[in-house]
Amino acid sequence: MKHKFAHIIICLLAALKLAAQTTVTGTVTDGRAPLPAANVFIAGTIDGCLTDTLGRFSFKTSQTGEVTLKVTYMGFDDYTRTAPVSTLTDINVRMHERATAISEVVVTASTFSFGKSEGFKTMDALDVVMSGNSCGDVVAALQSLPGTQKVGEDGKLYVRGGESDECQTFVNGMHVLVPYTTNTENTAVRGRFSPFLFKGINFTLGGYSGEYGQALSAVLPMETTDVATSDKFGISASLVDWNIGGTKAFTSSALSFNAAYTSMGLYDRMFTQRQDFTRPYRKLSGEAQYKREFARGGVLKSYAGYDLTSVGLHQGDRHISLAEHNVYANVTYKAPIARGTTLFAGIAHSSVWNNIDDAVSAGDHYRNYRNELHLKSELRRVVCDRLKLSVGIEDYLRHSTLDFAHYQYTLDYNILAAHADAQLRVVNKLFLNVSARTELMRTRLQFMPRATLSYIPNKQWQLSLVAGRYSQTPTDDQLAQSHCALDQSSAWHLILSMQYRSASSLLRIEPYYKRYSHLPWMQQGQWQSDGYGTSRGVDVYAEDHSISPRLTTSLAYSFCDAERLYQDYTELSTPSFASRHNLRLSAKYSIGKCIIGVAESFASGRQFAAGTTPHYNSLDVNLTYLLSPKVIIYTSLNNVLGRTNIHRYQADGSSVMSSRDRFFYIGIFVSLKNNKAYDISNF
């Protein structure tokens, strides 16, 4: 009898509970289509459910009175509604897409970021080392990208119909006066900096913001790595160079060093070449860094590097002897000073001594000294989710002296600049970057407006329109010979960028147009600022990982139609460094501990007074083998087919070719105090 009574009580309580429950129903949409799998629930309870494929939801709750209904869906703002529970029947919930905060927006128009971005790896330091024909050189690796020209006789960066000095290099935001090593005329040079030095490399082919000046065509901003958390020590060796370096890590700081010696002596004895070197190419370099992180988020970075380069060459009746000393150092400090506001301050110094005997004729002596002091300060503030601002000032103080034959000069000048930059989310998915830069050199004031309008509907697609004006001073020789009467050269950029990115592929197409004015032009023996020109074309880049997880393929194609009237040109014509078509195909395949790379490079002929050169072609292969977690062996062979590529024609009609048709490289990279063999530069 007692058990029957208890059973009746339980049934009555259950009935009362069921009677007290309310059914909440409705539909969740984005205003156009239903949203399946949205999370719908009563705040503070476990009562709720997920919407079905039609966006419908229905669940029971025992809550009474006024409740708060909440709906969440990835990529959308949360929906909340507070009302009596009895009214939450057949309701329509409209979700609104979450607006991306301006601080999260990364506009990639005309820029290639090396490292990992959005989970898609484009290129990192190890990829630079293993690039088909780079042999560890950042500059050579960048020449695998669209928009660059193949100029084999000097190896420098030429971008979208622009001269090599129109592309400027910045380390931690500070300018580098001479980013290349030196060599004899018509011989390819290398970049001065190791790829392992940097955590981020952003190669911008045009359309950059007001922060960067003194660059007509492109900028190469590079950010050094953060403070190391462990000690490192490593070595590397090859047929042509040897390297040793290390890092000592402290609680909140790190001190690093790196020393390298390059010599072509052994290689020249092992393999024949065309030039008659009286002294092999040699370079001795050393680098040091100190980094410190402070308690309130401040970061101090310092870098100092020195190169000594020398080479001797017998050419006709001349015994050319070249020696160059190159010093570069910078110190930067970045710290938050208020909520949403960051202060950046930096100072950089560059000095270059260049000495050449028998430079033009037997018995002459060329002595050139250049230095630059770059001062920069900037405030950056995230005002809100819709607006980010930055303002800055900087000064370039430059000095140059030349003593050559019967010609000497001493030149001093400075360029004072200021910029303001605003990044605005106009509406959701539409972003506007507007900047202005002014530069004052002597009494000449230059104003440069710049703007980028970007539509970013999702993480896959991006469409941008870029326009702006850019300027750069003429060379020191041209300024001195004109008694500083030349104006700054200027260029207008107009770029349309279309990009699609998925988890396994990247496609970018960029048509562009550049118009040059005030270029230095020699008329009747005098330099004038009357030169002009245009450059138009399209760049295409595709990279794919979908065929096989072990295989990475890429295609880079550039069409460039450039014309100029400048320097000693007598008519508007295609500059000698510009080839109309450039194509590079590459593939990288991993098998166990091996990575095999193949690259095919093609460039159409270049125009000279003596005629048009044959097309350029080079098939390059490389092999990387991970001998152990701390040891990597890398080898490459450039121009496997042995084609004799003619890079240019001299005024007398003679051909300029590389000193050798093929180049073989083999190196070993060893880490002694770290688990990454490729981290041997230890920065």
Side-chain angles (χ1 to χ4, degrees):
M1 190 69 178
K2 289 181 179 180
H3 289 295
K4 289 182 179 180
F5 182 75
H7 182 71
I8 292 172
I9 294 295
I10 291 172
C11 290
L12 288 174
L13 290 174
L16 288 173
K17 184 175 181 181
L18 288 173
Q21 284 187 331
T22 303
T23 302
V24 179
T25 60
T27 305
V28 179
T29 71
D30 64 357
R32 300 180 302 274
L35 296 179
N39 189 20
V40 185
F41 60 96
I42 301 296
T45 74
I46 60 172
D47 300 335
C49 68
L50 298 178
T51 57
D52 62 17
T53 56
L54 298 179
R56 299 173 302 190
F57 64 89
S58 177
F59 65 90
K60 296 182 181 296
T61 179
S62 59
Q63 301 295 311
T64 59
E66 194 172 77
V67 297
T68 298
L69 179 71
K70 192 168 184 178
V71 184
T72 62
Y73 194 79
M74 183 176 295
F76 288 76
D77 290 328
D78 292 347
Y79 171 91
T80 58
R81 177 175 176 177
T82 301
V85 68
S86 58
T87 64
L88 299 179
T89 304
D90 295 328
I91 62 174
N92 293 315
V93 176
R94 180 176 177 178
M95 304 289 285
H96 297 277
E97 282 192 76
R98 182 181 299 120
T100 304
I102 193 68
S103 57
E104 301 171 357
V105 177
V106 178
V107 177
T108 60
S110 221
T111 298
F112 286 88
S113 298
F114 302 155
K116 292 187 176 181
S117 176
E118 299 290 339
F120 186 93
K121 190 171 80 170
T122 305
M123 183 181 290
D124 60 19
L126 186 57
D127 293 319
V128 171
V129 171
M130 297 188 305
S131 181
N133 60 353
S134 72
C135 295
D137 181 24
V138 172
V139 172
L142 293 176
Q143 291 171 356
S144 66
L145 297 175
T148 60
Q149 302 278 308
K150 182 64 180 180
V151 185
E153 68 270 27
D154 71 9
K156 298 179 180 179
L157 282 172
Y158 292 76
V159 178
R160 289 179 174 172
E163 285 268 21
S164 62
D165 59 3
E166 294 178 18
C167 177
Q168 296 295 307
T169 300
F170 296 82
V171 173
N172 294 336
M174 306 307 297
H175 184 242
V176 180
L177 184 62
V178 180
Y180 301 103
T181 61
T182 190
N183 211 327
T184 55
E185 187 179 7
N186 296 322
T187 305
V189 299
R190 291 169 60 89
R192 290 190 58 216
F193 302 102
S194 165
F196 297 106
L197 180 68
F198 306 101
K199 69 174 181 180
I201 301 175
N202 297 297
F203 184 38
T204 302
L205 300 167
Y208 28 96
S209 69
E211 178 183 358
Y212 298 109
Q214 291 300 296
L216 275 182
S217 289
V219 292
L220 178 59
M222 302 188 286
E223 182 76 16
T224 57
T225 55
D226 296 326
V227 176
T229 57
S230 62
D231 294 347
K232 305 176 186 178
F233 184 71
I235 59 174
S236 68
S238 74
L239 291 175
V240 297
D241 56 10
W242 299 264
N243 181 292
I244 184 170
T247 292
K248 177 62 179 176
F250 304 99
T251 304
S252 58
S253 63
L255 180 64
S256 305
F257 79 95
N258 192 66
Y261 177 66
T262 302
S263 174
M264 294 297 297
L266 176 62
Y267 195 93
D268 289 344
R269 288 193 294 271
M270 294 177 61
F271 303 98
T272 60
Q273 43 88 31
R274 295 185 175 93
Q275 294 180 312
D276 182 13
F277 287 102
T278 58
R279 188 171 68 254
Y281 175 89
R282 296 189 180 100
K283 181 170 75 77
L284 178 65
S285 62
E287 299 168 298
Q289 285 196 95
Y290 177 74
K291 305 168 188 173
R292 181 177 178 84
E293 294 179 348
F294 296 92
R296 296 187 177 182
V299 177
L300 174 73
K301 290 185 177 183
S302 63
Y303 168 86
Y306 167 74
D307 292 345
L308 169 60
T309 307
S310 65
V311 64
L313 176 67
H314 179 219
Q315 195 172 80
D317 62 344
R318 293 185 295 153
H319 292 272
I320 303 170
S321 177
L322 182 150
E324 182 185 86
H325 302 265
N326 194 328
V327 177
Y328 176 73
N330 72 30
V331 178
T332 63
Y333 179 71
K334 182 167 61 176
I337 58 174
R339 185 174 181 180
T341 304
T342 303
L343 169 69
F344 172 88
I347 180 172
H349 178 266
S350 301
S351 288
V352 182
W353 294 263
N354 204 326
N355 304 321
I356 308 175
D357 296 330
D358 287 10
V360 175
S361 59
D364 65 19
H365 304 282
Y366 178 93
R367 304 288 185 265
N368 179 226
Y369 169 65
R370 300 171 61 196
N371 75 0
E372 176 188 81
L373 184 65
H374 182 205
L375 307 172
K376 182 177 180 180
S377 180
E378 188 177 43
L379 283 174
R380 303 164 185 169
R381 177 171 176 79
V382 179
V383 179
C384 61
D385 284 347
R386 298 177 60 90
L387 179 64
K388 182 165 64 172
L389 300 174
S390 66
V391 293
I393 58 173
E394 58 187 322
D395 197 6
Y396 297 84
L397 296 95
R398 293 176 175 174
H399 169 81
S400 180
T401 61
L402 176 69
D403 184 358
F404 177 53
H406 300 292
Y407 182 66
Q408 298 88 27
Y409 70 73
T410 297
L411 179 68
D412 290 282
Y413 66 96
N414 78 299
I415 305 165
L416 184 63
H419 78 271
D421 187 290
Q423 297 182 52
L424 173 69
R425 189 184 76 228
V426 182
V427 295
N428 193 26
K429 302 178 183 179
L430 188 65
F431 304 89
L432 177 65
N433 186 324
V434 180
S435 63
R437 182 180 178 88
T438 58
E439 292 183 349
L440 176 65
M441 179 182 169
R442 295 186 182 267
T443 59
R444 299 179 180 87
L445 184 66
Q446 193 93 316
F447 178 70
M448 291 160 283
R450 304 170 186 180
T452 300
L453 182 65
S454 298
Y455 176 62
I456 309 177
N458 48 51
K459 291 185 177 181
Q460 286 75 43
W461 287 96
Q462 185 171 135
L463 179 67
S464 299
L465 181 64
V466 185
R469 189 186 186 202
Y470 304 85
S471 72
Q472 189 169 345
T473 58
T475 65
D476 289 348
D477 288 347
Q478 293 165 346
L479 284 175
Q481 293 176 37
S482 68
H483 305 288
C484 292
L486 293 177
D487 295 330
Q488 290 202 64
S489 301
S490 66
W492 281 95
H493 294 192
L494 182 63
I495 304 165
L496 177 62
S497 177
M498 297 165 284
Q499 177 176 291
Y500 172 77
R501 179 195 297 267
S502 70
S504 59
S505 62
L506 171 68
L507 174 64
R508 181 183 295 182
I509 302 174
E510 287 191 352
Y512 66 88
Y513 174 78
K514 294 198 297 186
R515 180 167 58 84
Y516 292 92
S517 60
H518 304 298
L519 297 177
W521 184 26
M522 179 68 75
Q523 300 179 73
Q524 299 177 347
Q526 299 292 325
W527 285 108
Q528 306 290 335
S529 299
D530 300 330
Y532 59 92
T534 59
S535 178
R536 69 199 79 189
V538 61
D539 297 334
V540 179
Y541 183 77
E543 186 171 336
D544 185 76
H545 304 255
S546 64
I547 299 174
S548 166
R550 298 177 178 269
L551 178 66
T552 300
T553 58
S554 67
L555 176 150
Y557 169 74
S558 298
F559 169 78
C560 178
D561 178 18
E563 289 185 318
R564 287 190 177 198
L565 180 62
Y566 81 133
Q567 293 186 356
D568 59 353
Y569 285 29
T570 58
E571 61 182 8
L572 186 67
S573 56
T574 300
S576 59
F577 57 79
S579 51
R580 199 172 182 85
H581 302 278
N582 284 266
L583 174 67
R584 180 180 171 91
L585 303 170
S586 67
K588 186 168 62 177
Y589 189 76
S590 59
I591 308 175
K593 296 182 178 181
C594 291
I595 300 176
I596 302 171
V598 180
E600 166 67 24
S601 300
F602 169 87
S604 56
R606 292 156 50 196
Q607 297 180 15
F608 296 88
T612 302
T613 64
H615 71 271
Y616 172 91
N617 186 56
S618 179
L619 177 64
D620 311 319
V621 298
N622 62 82
L623 173 67
T624 305
Y625 181 70
L626 184 63
L627 189 63
S628 76
K630 295 186 176 184
V631 180
I632 283 180
I633 297 176
Y634 170 78
T635 182
S636 67
L637 178 62
N638 297 342
N639 196 13
V640 174
L641 303 179
R643 175 184 171 84
T644 300
N645 288 303
I646 297 176
H647 299 306
R648 65 178 292 126
Y649 290 127
Q650 303 278 42
D652 61 4
S654 59
S655 302
V656 173
M657 299 166 285
S658 299
S659 60
R660 48 179 59 87
D661 291 330
R662 295 186 181 94
F663 188 84
F664 175 70
Y665 180 89
I666 182 168
I668 182 169
F669 303 82
V670 182
S671 176
L672 302 178
K673 293 197 70 175
N674 197 15
N675 59 358
K676 296 179 180 178
Y678 57 84
D679 203 13
I680 55 90
S681 272
N682 304 301
F683 289 106

